[in-house]
Amino acid sequence: MRGKRNSFIGSLAAGLLSIFGKSPAKPAADDLARMEFKTSTQRLGVRFSEKIRDVFRFRWIKRS
């Protein structure tokens, strides 16, 4: 008997929360820009030769 009552109260609470609950805020443009990691190899102190750069160039080109 107690299990049915708890189940009913739980489903009632879930229904009320689905109607009146707040949805999470959508990220703004500045939030997305802050999340993007802009790493520079020069800031890290790493130097790439032209040979290594030519091998990995296709990964660095951004597709638009």
Side-chain angles (χ1 to χ4, degrees), residues 9-56:
I9 292 172
S11 63
L12 183 67
L16 288 174
L17 284 174
S18 69
I19 294 171
F20 297 110
K22 291 179 99 178
S23 62
K26 297 196 190 275
D30 58 338
D31 294 331
L32 295 176
R34 204 175 316 123
M35 287 292 292
E36 188 175 337
F37 296 105
K38 297 177 180 173
T39 56
S40 170
T41 56
Q42 288 182 344
R43 267 193 275 157
L44 295 174
V46 178
R47 302 273 185 226
F48 285 137
S49 68
E50 286 299 318
K51 191 173 184 180
I52 295 174
R53 195 167 296 188
D54 287 339
V55 170
F56 290 103

Side-chain angles (χ1 to χ4, degrees), residues 4 14 29 45 52 62:
K4 285 188 176 187
I52 295 174
K62 292 186 178 180

